[in-house]
Amino acid sequence: MSLLPSEEQRELEHSLRDFLSREVTPEYLRKRIASDQPSDPNLWKGLQELGLLSYFASQDADVRPGVRELGIVARESGRALLPERIVDNIFAGPFLYFQFLPPNMRALIAKTFGSSLPDAIESGGKSVGLAAVSFAKPIIVGLRNTGPLYRVSAKLPLVAYATLNNYLLFCGRAAEAAPVSLYLADLGTGKEQLVKCDATGALDLSRPYHDVQLENVAALDLGVEAASGLRNVFSTIVAEELAGMCGKVVDLTLEYVKTRKQFGVAVGSFQAVQ
């Protein structure tokens, strides 16, 4: 496998950077943060029209996007400080269902939550959120087996865009020494279950965060092996997002030292700065 990006990967990077540089300007970011708007319908529509959800749902053997393609989306989103949930939704939705899970697990999800769910995830009609903190520090969950579903009770801290999603993906275990498993929870209303979202502050002002309390929420256990593999992918995606942010800082710094003058010359000409 070549370490160099393919033509398709370069095209994905170029189209994303071109779109985000037009739509997510510094002025736009300042206005979004000041407005406390959890999502911009126009920007979200534009992201969907790029075809990212359907791209990561592709079953074409010649296309089949994977971790590298997901990393490109994360890197370009980080570079733009994109204040939308597209990376989380791709990772926990189309990528998880269509590219990561084996056929038997996909069949179980469709059987449990409805045969229309895969199409809804691909089209954006239903979205899967991500409890990111649980991937680094799995939470302790209370479980009641109703087979194949569990009734889960848990507190998930700092969930981004918690109020905008229909399902939630998280890592948890029944006790401290128990193995970590991957859970897909249905956040829909039900007689027995309760989903409570409390807004909470965070250093990251580009997205809303909530502490989410689940009580007797219907959830499917996707297994220990799925949790282990997906946690590795998640670490890669976070690294890509941070790399995008750092790359943008370098670009801004280079632009600054070329134009900022001191003693009549650009500061970039000073040996110490070089």
Side-chain angles (χ1 to χ4, degrees):
M1 182 183 73
S2 174
L3 294 178
L4 297 175
S6 66
E7 176 91 18
E8 183 179 285
Q9 288 165 349
R10 285 194 292 268
E11 183 178 342
L12 174 62
E13 180 182 66
H14 175 77
S15 61
L16 264 174
R17 186 170 299 188
D18 181 61
F19 173 82
L20 294 174
S21 64
R22 291 196 318 269
E23 301 296 329
V24 189
T25 62
E27 294 77 15
Y28 174 83
L29 275 173
R30 282 192 286 269
K31 290 179 180 178
R32 271 292 298 273
I33 291 172
S35 72
D36 291 327
Q37 187 180 9
S39 181
D40 178 352
N42 292 326
L43 179 57
W44 185 246
K45 181 181 179 182
L47 287 166
Q48 288 185 307
E49 289 176 348
L50 287 176
L52 293 172
L53 295 173
S54 58
Y55 172 63
F56 279 91
S58 174
Q59 295 293 287
D60 187 338
D62 295 329
V63 178
R64 290 306 293 269
V67 178
R68 293 184 71 174
E69 288 75 16
L70 185 56
I72 290 171
V73 178
R75 188 167 66 248
E76 292 305 313
S77 296
R79 179 184 176 84
L81 290 182
L82 178 64
E84 293 292 345
R85 62 194 190 278
I86 192 69
V87 176
D88 288 5
N89 282 177
I90 292 173
F91 174 82
F95 175 79
L96 171 73
Y97 186 88
F98 293 99
Q99 312 302 336
F100 182 83
L101 293 175
N104 64 315
M105 193 60 70
R106 295 201 299 269
L108 179 60
I109 291 175
K111 181 180 179 180
T112 305
F113 293 126
S115 59
S116 63
L117 180 59
D119 289 339
I121 289 175
E122 180 179 352
S123 67
K126 297 283 186 181
S127 60
V128 185
L130 184 66
V133 173
S134 73
F135 279 71
K137 187 178 180 181
I139 61 165
I140 303 297
V141 299
L143 297 173
R144 182 162 59 89
N145 193 345
T146 57
L149 285 172
Y150 282 90
R151 287 289 174 174
V152 173
S153 296
K155 185 172 183 179
L156 297 154
L158 291 171
V159 178
Y161 307 107
T163 60
L164 301 178
N165 295 302
N166 308 101
Y167 296 85
L168 186 62
L169 188 72
F170 63 93
C171 291
R173 49 186 163 199
E176 286 289 350
V180 177
S181 200
L182 185 69
Y183 294 94
L184 179 62
D186 183 354
L187 301 180
T189 58
K191 291 182 179 179
E192 295 185 47
Q193 70 182 43
L194 171 69
V195 179
K196 184 181 178 184
C197 298
D198 293 319
T200 185
L203 291 175
D204 180 3
L205 301 178
S206 67
R207 61 196 75 181
Y209 288 92
H210 291 77
D211 290 335
V212 178
Q213 182 73 45
L214 306 180
E215 295 290 347
N216 292 316
V217 171
L220 191 61
D221 184 351
L222 301 182
V224 174
E225 185 176 342
S228 176
L230 203 64
R231 289 175 76 190
N232 290 334
V233 175
F234 176 74
S235 297
T236 302
I237 300 313
V238 171
E240 289 278 17
E241 187 175 24
L242 292 172
M245 294 177 188
C246 292
K248 182 63 174 180
V249 170
V250 170
D251 290 346
L252 290 172
T253 303
L254 288 174
E255 182 182 345
Y256 177 79
V257 299
K258 287 177 183 178
T259 56
R260 175 72 168 88
K261 290 187 177 182
Q262 188 72 26
F263 308 115
V265 296
V267 296
S269 64
F270 300 152
Q271 186 177 11
V273 177
Q274 292 176 352

